[in-house]
Amino acid sequence: MSRLDPAQIESKWQTAWDEAGVFLAKHDPAKPKYYVLEMFPYPSGRIHMGHVRNYTMGDVIARYKLAQGFSVLHPMGWDAFGMPAENAAMERGGHPKTWTYDNIADMRGQMKPLGLSIDWSRQFATCDPEYYGQQQAMFLDFMEKGLVYRKSAVVNWDPVDMTVLANEQVIEGRGWRSGAEVERRELTQWFFRISDFSEELLEAIDGLDSWPEKVKLMQRNWIGKSRGLQFAFSFVEAPEGFDRLEVYTTRPDTLLGASFVAVSADHPLAKYLERHDPKIAEFVAECRRTGTSEEALETAEKIGFDTGLKVRHPFDNDWELPVYIANFILMDYGTGAIFGCPAHDQRDLDFARKYRLDVIDTFVAAEGGTPVGDVAFVPPKTERVKWLKNFAWDEMATGEEAIYAAIADCESKGVGHGVVKYRLRDWGLSRQRYWGCPIPVVHCADCGVVPEKRENLPVLLPDDVSFDKPGNPLDRHSTWRDVACPKCGAPAKRETDTMDTFVDSSWYFARFTAPHAAAPTDPVEAEYWMNVDQYIGGIEHAILHLLYSRFFARAMHICGHLPAKAKEPFDALFTQGMVTHEIYVTRDERDRPVYHLPEDIVWTESGATLGRTGARVEVIPSAKMSKSKKNVIDPENIIRQFGADTARWFILSDSPPERDVEWTSAGAEAAFRHLSRVHRLAAEIAESTAPASAEDPELARAMHKAIHEVTMGIETFGFNKAVAKLYEFSNTLQRSGAGAQAKREAVRAMAQLMSPMVPHLAEEVWAMLGGEGLVTVAPWPKADPAMLVEDTVTLPIQVNGKRRSEITVPKDMATEEVEKLVLEDEAVARALAGAPPKKLIVVPGRIVNVVI
RNA sequence: GCCCGCGUGGUGGAAUGGUAGACACAAGGGACUUAAAAUCCCUGGCCUUCGGGCGUGCCGGUUCAAGUCCGGCCGCGGGCACCA
C-alpha cells in the first residue's frame, strides 16, 4: 500500500486542473455566477501564513461554489505600487520596477503550490501601464464630473527626505526614515470629494447585511455624523472685513454657560490678526510648529492667546465674551471656531482655569451645592437631570431633549440653524513619490491645470530615474517633466505628484471582470460579474480601503464605468483573524526583551531555557508573526515538509476563521497524520475484496449527516466546524463494519466534502475509488432529508432541570406514552418518592423535564 | 474620555433557551515491536458515603429549563479621539 506523498500527488493534480482549465472564469449567461475575492497582496517578495489563511478560505468558497455549478470568478493580482519598492531602491540600489516584478514572480511561485483555484489568466499588477493608464483615464473622468479638485492643505513635511509624511510616519515629531524634525507645510494637493458622499455612504451601510457588524460600526464612526447648531457671534468692535464669527456646537443646551470664544490658528481671523500684531504672529507660528501626529497632539499643552476682541452673547447684547486663538481647535471641523462652556466641558474648563475665565454653572450639577471645581459636569444625553438655566425645555429633561429644544428655540429666535456635520474629510491623494500612478495633468502658466489628452494616456513613469538624492525623482527628471501644454502648446510642466496607492486598490475588483478591456471596465462583463459575492481580507482594512472602494464604485457609476447595482461593490464581507505563533523571550541587562529562535531553546522539566547560557526563557503564545520577534513560519517550508493540503487543513481547523489562530508544529503534524489516515483508509477500502454486501443504513445516515453538516459549515464560514464534522465522519467510517459497496460510496462522499479544503488529497482519493472525472467539478452532494432523521430518539430526562436519566423511544411516539414511560423510569420514581409530579414537560424529540 | 466585542477543561474550541465540554491538541495508560519510529485501543471537569452534590469570570433576575435572555459588577481585547 502506498504512503501519502504530498509532493507527488499535489503537483500531479495541479497539472490536471491546469490542463482541464477548470478555474478559467467563463462568462456563461446560462449559469448563475459567483465572484470570490481575497484582498490582493502587496508584492513584498514573500508570502506569509496570513496569505495562506486568506487565500485558503477564499479557495474553499470558490471550490464549493464551483462544485455547486456556479460560474466562478476567483482572480488574483498585485497591489504593486508603494514606498517599499522605493526604499529597496534607495537601500540596495536597483530599480523599483525590477524589484516589484521580481517579487511578483517569486510570490506567484510560492503561491502556486498551494493549489488555489485561481484564474491566473486574469492576473495583473497595479503598476502595469495597462492598469494605471485606465486609472488615469478614470481620473480625467472624475475631473470632468467634479469628483476631484485641488486645494491647499497642511501636511507633515520631512525637510531631509523632501517628502510628505503620513501621520503614522511621524515618530516623536521626527520623520521615520530621516529622523529630521517634521514641519507643517501648506501644499496644494489633489482631493477626491468623498465627503460629498458622507450621507449616502452612511445610509447605505444599513443595507450591507452580510458585512460584520464591527466593520459597519467602524465605518459609521469614521463618517462621524453629528447634529448641532451653527450660529454667529457679533463683534463688539468688528475687525476689518469680519462681520460676525460663525461657530458650531453639538451642545447648544450649554449656551447659557458660555464664557469665551476661541478660533483655530488657521482661522481667517487668526490669519488677519497675525498680519497686524507681531505677538499674535508669534503665537500662531508656535501653534503651527506643533506636528499633526497623534503623539504631538497628546503631549502638546493646550494654549491660547487673548486677541483682545470681544463678541456679544446671542441672547444678551450686554454679555461680552473674550475671543482667543487656541492651538487645539481644528480648522477643518465645523467652522474652525467654538464657544467655550467651562462648567460642562472638561477641556473648556481646563482652559478657563488656566486663563482665569468665568465658569458659569447652568446646572449646579450637584444640587447639594458643590460648584464646579476641576471636573466639568457633562449633561448626560439620555438621563433626566435638573437644569438650573434652561431656556426652552423642562427643568427635568435629558441632554438629548435639551439639545433638540435648544436648536428649535435658537432657530425661532433667528440665532443660527440646526446643521448636520460629518467627521469624514475629503481624501487627499497626492503623494510626492516616484513609484505610483502619475496624475495625468499638466501645469501651464497661461492655461492653469490642463488634463492630459486622452490619446496620450497612459502617462508612463520614466524608467531612467535615480534614488541617490532625496525627494521625488520625477521632480528632477526634466525631459519627463517639461512638456508642451496640451491646450496651448506653450512650455509647461507635468504634475509630478503620483496617486496614493489606496486609489489603485479602490477599483481593482472591477478591473478583474475585464482585465484587458480598452476602457476601465467592459459594461457587459461588469454587468455579469459584479458584485463581488464574497470579499475576504484582514480587519485592518475595515475603514480606509473599504470606504474608499465604496466611494470609488459610486464615482465609477457616475462616470458610466459600473452599473448602479455595483454602487455597493461587495455583497458580503468576511474579515479573518491573524496567524500567530509563540515567541521566546529573555531580558537584557536593561530589561529590554530579547527574542530567540525556536532552535535555540532547550526544553527542560522546569521549563524553557536558552541552549548555551541556560537562561530561563519566557514562552509567550499567540504573538503576531514578525521578523523581529523571530517567530515567522515560512509557508514554503511547511509545504515542503507536509504538503499544501496539510497547511490548508491545519489553518482551517480548530479556530473560527474570524479569530486569531495559533500555528503550532504539533497541530501541523496532527493534521498531516489525519490526512495520511484518510489516504490509508481510502486505499484499504479501494483495494478491499470483501463482498459487496447489502447497504448499511447506519453508515448511509452518517454520510448524509456529514453532507448536511459540512455544507452548513462552509455556507456559514464555520470551517473549523466543517473540519470537525469530517473528523467525525472519518472516525465513523473507519469503525464501520459496513460492506465494501457502502464504504466506497461513503469515501467518495468524503472526498467530495473534503475537496474544497484539501483538494489534492480529495482528487487522489476520488480517483482511487473510481470517481468519474475530477472531484473538483463533480456536482456537490446533496443530503437526503429523510436520511437525517433517526427512527428512534434518545430523550434525556431531567428532574427539576437536572439530567437524571434517559429513554430511547420511536421518534414519533405520542406524548402521553412518553409521559407514561418517564414516570416508570427508575431514577424518576426515586426522585418522586411516590408523590405525583407538579408538572411534566415533554418537548417532542428533544427533552423531558419532570418538575417536583 | 467615547463606542464596540469577548470571558466555557491543561490548550484551541463545540453547543436553534433543551444531555455543557462535539472535534482536535497536549497528557496518562495499554497493545504491537528485541527496541524505536509508525500504527491501533483505552482514560479523563471537580467532589462523592456511588444516592448524589458542584461546575461556562462574579452577583442577582426571568424561565419547567440559562454558557445562551435581562440588570449590575470584575477582567481582557479592539476601534476612534484636541471632532467643539
Side-chain angles (χ1 to χ4, degrees):
Chain A
M1 201 182 300
S2 64
R3 263 181 61 86
L4 175 61
D5 178 359
Q8 187 256 323
I9 69 163
E10 290 182 359
S11 69
K12 175 175 78 183
W13 291 111
Q14 284 167 19
T15 307
W17 297 325
D18 282 349
E19 281 171 359
V22 285
F23 305 135
L24 296 174
K26 279 183 279 296
H27 178 157
D28 180 351
K31 273 189 183 179
K33 67 87 191 182
Y34 199 91
Y35 183 1
V36 196
L37 184 65
E38 299 101 52
M39 290 179 185
F40 67 164
Y42 178 79
S44 62
R46 307 269 346 144
I47 67 163
H48 52 68
M49 277 297 169
H51 293 128
V52 174
R53 194 178 196 201
N54 193 191
Y55 307 142
T56 300
M57 287 187 208
D59 202 44
V60 171
I61 301 290
R63 286 172 174 276
Y64 167 69
K65 291 291 174 184
L66 187 66
Q68 283 202 321
F70 286 87
S71 188
V72 172
L73 173 57
H74 185 207
M76 181 58 68
W78 308 93
D79 188 11
F81 275 134
M83 284 198 338
E86 279 185 64
N87 294 340
M90 278 184 260
E91 277 157 24
R92 298 190 274 277
H95 196 282
K97 186 175 177 176
T98 325
W99 184 86
T100 302
Y101 281 103
D102 285 353
N103 282 352
I104 289 173
D106 286 351
M107 283 180 80
R108 192 176 145 159
Q110 293 157 31
M111 278 167 72
K112 270 278 188 177
L114 279 168
L116 302 168
S117 64
I118 285 166
D119 178 355
W120 286 103
S121 75
R122 290 177 186 247
Q123 171 190 245
F124 61 77
T126 55
C127 63
D128 294 344
E130 193 186 18
Y131 182 80
Y132 73 71
Q134 295 302 336
Q135 187 163 301
Q136 290 170 341
M138 219 150 44
F139 187 88
L140 299 183
D141 294 339
F142 284 17
M143 278 178 83
E144 282 168 18
K145 298 283 183 189
L147 293 162
V148 61
Y149 67 101
R150 267 157 59 90
K151 74 169 177 188
S152 131
V154 179
V155 295
N156 298 306
W157 179 259
D158 185 321
V160 170
D161 275 355
M162 301 210 295
T163 189
V164 170
L165 299 176
N167 282 340
E168 306 80 70
Q169 295 166 338
V170 181
I171 296 153
E172 284 166 17
R174 291 169 182 277
W176 68 295
R177 279 182 66 82
S178 67
E181 218 166 295
V182 168
E183 297 168 7
R184 268 158 51 107
R185 265 209 194 179
E186 270 202 34
L187 286 186
T188 302
Q189 309 220 78
W190 289 94
F191 287 83
F192 286 122
R193 282 195 199 278
I194 187 170
S195 68
D196 282 6
F197 294 76
S198 297
E199 185 61 34
E200 194 186 331
L201 288 167
L202 180 68
E203 265 183 20
I205 293 173
D206 293 338
L208 300 173
D209 297 328
S210 300
W211 280 42
E213 284 305 320
K214 187 181 175 173
V215 173
K216 290 195 276 185
L217 189 75
M218 281 160 76
Q219 292 226 344
R220 283 192 187 103
N221 290 342
W222 188 260
I223 294 169
K225 183 176 183 172
S226 73
R227 269 168 244 277
L229 178 74
Q230 187 165 324
F231 67 99
F233 287 101
S234 58
F235 286 99
V236 173
E237 274 177 72
E240 200 193 329
F242 292 87
D243 182 19
R244 290 139 60 83
L245 184 58
E246 286 276 336
V247 299
Y248 172 71
T249 178
T250 54
R251 290 312 296 245
D253 51 325
T254 64
L255 196 47
L256 289 170
S259 66
F260 67 94
V261 169
V263 302
S264 162
D266 298 314
H267 192 278
L269 181 64
K271 287 184 177 173
Y272 167 82
L273 292 172
E274 76 176 316
R275 288 200 298 273
H276 296 83
D277 184 336
K279 278 188 181 151
I280 290 181
E282 196 182 309
F283 179 77
V284 167
E286 163 82 37
C287 290
R288 290 195 189 133
R289 265 197 295 278
T290 321
T292 57
S293 73
E294 247 176 74
E295 283 106 322
L297 293 174
E298 250 166 49
T299 50
E301 202 189 342
K302 290 173 183 39
I303 48 172
F305 191 94
D306 188 352
T307 62
L309 294 167
K310 303 257 189 229
V311 293
R312 296 183 209 281
H313 194 281
F315 289 178
D316 181 353
N317 259 339
D318 298 330
W319 183 352
E320 296 183 358
L321 307 167
V323 178
Y324 278 73
I325 298 169
N327 67 343
F328 58 87
I329 297 173
L330 302 172
M331 190 54 224
D332 52 0
Y333 185 77
T335 61
I338 62 155
F339 78 79
C341 175
H344 307 308
D345 180 279
Q346 190 59 47
R347 194 190 48 209
D348 292 349
L349 182 62
D350 297 343
F351 192 81
R353 293 291 183 221
K354 187 166 182 176
Y355 295 102
R356 301 177 184 284
L357 299 165
D358 294 340
V359 176
I360 306 158
D361 193 337
T362 71
F363 259 91
V364 188
E367 180 91 12
T370 318
V372 170
D374 288 328
V375 181
F377 176 76
V378 180
K381 280 205 172 166
T382 52
E383 199 182 313
R384 263 169 222 288
V385 282
K386 186 165 180 181
W387 302 72
L388 187 71
K389 293 187 181 178
N390 52 324
F391 54 92
W393 57 93
D394 292 343
E395 195 179 59
M396 293 300 294
T398 65
E400 217 156 62
E401 289 164 349
I403 292 167
Y404 191 80
I407 292 174
D409 185 65
C410 287
E411 280 181 343
S412 74
K413 286 180 181 143
V415 177
H417 49 278
V419 291
V420 169
K421 297 232 182 258
Y422 302 89
R423 217 177 57 101
L424 183 65
R425 310 295 155 74
D426 279 337
W427 168 14
L429 66 116
S430 300
R431 295 291 181 271
Q432 292 69 39
R433 297 261 162 215
Y434 163 75
W435 193 233
C437 172
I439 294 172
V441 301
V442 172
H443 299 277
C444 170
D446 293 329
C447 312
V449 177
V450 183
E452 182 57 83
K453 287 183 185 156
R454 301 234 175 207
E455 63 264 31
N456 292 341
L457 298 186
V459 175
L460 291 170
L461 280 173
D463 285 338
D464 54 333
V465 285
S466 67
F467 296 90
D468 48 357
K469 281 180 243 156
N472 182 353
L474 295 177
D475 275 337
R476 307 190 291 264
H477 196 296
S478 55
T479 56
W480 185 83
R481 190 191 60 204
D482 300 332
V483 289
C485 169
K487 205 166 173 184
C488 69
K493 285 190 193 317
R494 268 193 202 293
E495 170 73 66
T496 58
D497 283 356
T498 52
M499 297 186 205
D500 180 5
T501 55
F502 273 108
V503 179
D504 313 335
S505 56
S506 291
W507 71 286
Y508 76 108
F509 49 87
R511 185 69 182 167
F512 276 136
T513 64
H516 304 297
T521 58
D522 176 304
V524 177
E525 298 298 321
E527 178 61 37
Y528 180 73
W529 289 113
M530 288 301 286
N531 296 344
V532 176
D533 293 278
Q534 182 66 61
Y535 196 31
I536 309 171
I539 187 78
E540 67 275 18
H541 294 114
I543 299 173
L544 293 184
H545 163 59
L546 290 167
L547 193 63
Y548 291 159
S549 296
R550 296 179 60 220
F551 159 71
F552 238 76
R554 283 170 170 77
M556 285 174 77
H557 170 63
I558 289 168
C559 300
H561 297 307
L562 279 178
K565 68 170 182 182
K567 285 203 278 184
E568 281 303 334
F570 310 123
D571 281 354
L573 172 71
F574 190 88
T575 51
Q576 105 255 4
M578 283 188 309
V579 184
T580 63
H581 190 224
E582 58 188 11
I583 51 175
Y584 312 101
V585 193
T586 55
R587 300 258 154 194
D588 70 3
E589 62 284 353
R590 283 161 64 186
D591 203 39
R592 289 169 309 196
V594 181
Y595 302 97
H596 304 281
L597 290 166
E599 52 263 39
D600 296 335
I601 305 302
V602 178
W603 296 92
T604 63
E605 274 183 32
S606 59
T609 57
L610 202 55
R612 240 165 266 129
T613 66
R616 271 194 68 85
V617 176
E618 199 187 348
V619 180
I620 301 170
S622 308
K624 183 177 180 171
M625 285 189 190
S626 78
K627 242 187 198 166
S628 64
K629 290 185 178 157
K630 300 187 176 172
N631 68 336
V632 175
I633 297 291
D634 181 2
E636 263 194 311
N637 288 340
I638 297 298
I639 293 170
R640 205 174 302 125
Q641 201 178 347
F642 299 112
D645 282 341
T646 294
R648 296 170 59 121
W649 185 252
F650 174 72
I651 213 131
L652 293 167
S653 323
D654 294 344
S655 287
E658 68 276 13
R659 261 188 251 179
D660 288 354
V661 60
E662 172 151 26
W663 184 273
T664 62
S665 49
E669 279 158 24
F672 180 74
R673 274 202 304 274
H674 176 72
L675 298 183
S676 303
R677 195 153 50 227
V678 168
H679 182 257
R680 200 164 49 237
L681 179 67
E684 271 167 25
I685 292 171
E687 290 163 17
S688 160
T689 51
S693 56
E695 57 190 42
D696 181 314
E698 275 311 303
L699 187 59
R701 234 190 277 283
M703 181 179 89
H704 283 275
K705 199 168 153 232
I707 292 170
H708 176 70
E709 288 176 333
V710 172
T711 304
M712 289 308 292
I714 293 173
E715 287 276 352
T716 61
F717 265 84
F719 303 132
N720 56 323
K721 286 180 259 178
V723 166
K725 296 303 171 191
L726 282 164
Y727 267 106
E728 219 173 314
F729 185 40
S730 78
N731 289 345
T732 306
L733 188 50
Q734 190 159 19
R735 283 164 202 159
S736 166
Q741 199 52 45
K743 279 193 172 181
R744 283 190 188 141
E745 199 194 330
V747 175
R748 273 198 298 270
M750 184 165 70
Q752 286 189 280
L753 296 176
M754 290 178 88
S755 72
M757 301 163 198
V758 286
H760 313 90
L761 175 64
E763 290 289 2
E764 189 71 14
V765 168
W766 181 256
M768 268 189 236
L769 283 131
E772 206 177 308
L774 293 166
V775 73
T776 297
V777 290
W780 191 253
K782 282 199 176 70
D784 177 357
M787 295 295 282
L788 297 176
V789 194
E790 305 275 347
D791 297 334
T792 59
V793 286
T794 300
L795 295 179
I797 301 174
Q798 294 180 332
V799 176
N800 287 344
K802 299 211 188 310
R803 189 181 174 282
R804 283 290 175 266
S805 183
E806 63 180 34
I807 50 169
T808 300
V809 299
K811 81 168 161 20
D812 21 275
M813 185 184 246
T815 301
E816 300 81 55
E817 277 183 73
V818 174
E819 285 176 357
K820 208 173 124 216
L821 284 174
V822 166
L823 293 175
E824 282 165 9
D825 185 86
E826 196 187 323
V828 173
R830 191 162 50 230
L832 285 171
K838 252 190 218 158
K839 212 169 179 182
L840 195 53
I841 293 153
V842 178
V843 184
R846 289 229 69 115
I847 201 165
V848 180
N849 194 7
V850 184
V851 186
I852 57 172

